[in-house]
Amino acid sequence: MNGTRRFYDELAGDYHLIYADWDASILRQAVALDALIASHLGPGPRRILDCACGIGTQSIGLAGRGHIVTGTDLSPVALTRATTESTRRGARIPFAAADLRALPFPDATFDVVVCADNALPHLLTPPDMLAGLTSIRRVLAPGGLLVASTRPYDTLRESRPHYSPPWLSQTPEGRAISFQLWHWHPDGERYDLEHFTLTPDGPSWHVAVRTATYWAITQPEFTQLLTTAEFTKIEWRPPETSGFFQPIVTATRAH
């Protein structure tokens, strides 16, 4: 996972530029996730672990909805920024560096584990993915809920795109541009990503490039691994029904 950690260490300063308006995205995602959690567990507050929290997008929003949130991530640089951003917004969130395959919490600590923004597909093999899901299940209380999101890989595996369309966001210096190049492995299931961020630099641009690798895991493959990890009540929701920007899967730790 050293490559994944390096990717997010390098991206941490620019991560908010993934969104046209990061603060609006924090609020919008929190509303969608909070409604989803309430539909399964009833009204909160709930003890939530955001186990791939990055710079705090989901953690900050869910804390703002009244939940008791803890955040972990591989990247200490991202965690430093998450601490700064959450404190600036008045949220009290403990953050810690951790590999989600070996979460450093006692059994049954949390009511909900969130793993959003396509984080789990950084686990590139079935054994690694199963280790992550088993670790998540262990820290969930009986009846607790996993909420995870991925890219829509069922269709992406068929089309195998080589790039993402560019998107714009605003900085105090002007417009920023982000886009991705995808290099598919011969197995057709995994790809290396080059993430480009162009930010204004006087009359020209500053260009930053970071690389990572993903498993384009399909929903049936993910569902099978969740079943193997002894999750139940596995359900997928597309963005048009969940209100979240990626497909979401929910799964329950059985009583």
Side-chain angles (χ1 to χ4, degrees):
M1 297 291 282
N2 287 339
T4 301
R5 172 178 166 176
R6 182 172 59 252
F7 175 73
Y8 288 106
D9 281 348
E10 294 173 354
L11 185 60
D14 289 337
Y15 195 97
H16 63 291
L17 299 177
I18 289 174
Y19 303 101
D21 184 330
W22 186 47
D23 283 297
S25 295
I26 289 173
L27 295 174
R28 185 167 56 249
Q29 292 186 34
V31 169
L33 293 172
D34 186 42
L36 193 59
I37 291 165
S39 72
H40 282 81
L41 302 180
R46 299 292 175 182
R47 300 168 299 164
I48 297 178
L49 171 64
D50 183 357
C51 73
C53 66
I55 65 170
T57 306
Q58 292 82 34
S59 297
I60 293 168
L62 288 168
R65 305 288 294 182
H67 296 287
I68 304 161
V69 180
T70 300
T72 61
D73 198 89
L74 269 180
S75 167
V77 180
L79 291 169
T80 297
R81 184 165 180 205
T83 300
T84 299
E85 297 288 355
S86 61
T87 300
R88 187 163 65 86
R89 292 165 173 79
R92 293 179 173 270
I93 304 171
F95 292 104
D99 186 323
L100 62 81
R101 296 170 296 180
L103 292 167
F105 304 103
D107 294 1
T109 300
F110 301 99
D111 304 308
V112 180
V113 174
V114 172
C115 194
D117 278 353
N118 199 50
L120 280 167
H122 281 298
L123 302 175
L124 300 177
T125 66
D128 273 338
M129 185 70 77
L130 188 57
L133 295 175
T134 301
S135 175
I136 289 169
R137 182 184 178 278
R138 181 186 63 78
V139 302
L140 276 171
L145 185 69
L146 166 63
V147 181
S149 76
T150 70
R151 291 188 172 111
Y153 283 129
D154 294 66
T155 55
L156 292 172
R157 278 261 288 268
E158 293 179 3
S159 60
R160 297 187 194 176
H162 293 292
Y163 63 93
S164 70
W167 62 93
L168 295 176
S169 53
Q170 292 294 327
T171 73
E173 293 77 28
R175 296 175 299 168
I177 303 169
S178 299
F179 64 92
Q180 300 173 2
L181 300 181
W182 293 21
H183 308 280
W184 289 87
H185 292 197
D187 65 11
E189 297 184 10
R190 292 159 186 85
Y191 62 97
D192 300 321
L193 176 149
E194 291 180 280
H195 185 285
F196 289 76
T197 305
L198 285 68
T199 49
D201 185 12
S204 61
W205 297 91
H206 172 74
V207 180
V209 185
R210 298 93 174 186
T211 61
T213 303
Y214 288 94
W215 178 11
I217 185 170
T218 64
Q219 292 181 11
E221 289 171 333
F222 205 145
T223 297
Q224 181 57 57
L225 286 165
L226 285 164
T227 301
T228 302
E230 301 184 4
F231 281 93
T232 62
K233 301 179 182 177
I234 301 163
E235 185 177 355
W236 287 89
R237 290 174 175 80
E240 53 266 29
T241 62
S242 71
F244 199 76
F245 73 102
Q246 291 177 332
I248 280 184
V249 63
T250 55
T252 299
R253 175 178 178 175
H255 286 281

